[in-house]
Amino acid sequence: MTSLTELHEMSDEQLDATAKEAAETLFRLRFQSQSERLNTPSEIRKNRRLIARVKTIQTQRERAAQNA
């Protein structure tokens, strides 16, 4: 799990890749949870929150670029 400071230090491309990877993982976890029992159901919540954090940082950077 990446921390918030690590996410802030990432480039825009790295953030995009992280969000895409987390979304794919979330899809697989949701599919798995419907077909069989998950070993760690908390992984779904962790991935959802990671995606939200990345999107928040991306939005903050976009707004900062617009204001500059």
Side-chain angles (χ1 to χ4, degrees):
M1 185 77 178
T2 55
S3 68
L4 191 58
T5 55
E6 290 174 352
L7 290 174
H8 278 289
E9 293 171 355
M10 287 184 179
S11 68
D12 292 336
E13 293 81 21
Q14 289 174 323
L15 284 174
D16 287 337
T18 302
K20 187 175 182 179
E21 181 182 330
E24 290 173 0
T25 304
L26 181 61
F27 175 78
R28 281 188 262 114
L29 286 171
R30 284 183 176 165
F31 192 84
Q32 186 180 3
S33 71
Q34 294 299 318
S35 61
E36 60 188 63
R37 187 178 185 119
L38 288 176
N39 294 335
T40 53
S42 63
E43 286 298 315
I44 293 175
R45 173 182 262 176
K46 289 178 186 177
N47 278 290
R48 281 183 28 228
R49 289 184 177 181
L50 176 60
I51 293 168
R53 285 184 184 114
V54 169
K55 287 184 178 183
T56 300
I57 292 170
Q58 288 174 332
T59 303
Q60 289 172 347
R61 288 183 182 181
E62 289 173 7
R63 288 184 180 168
Q66 289 176 353
N67 292 337

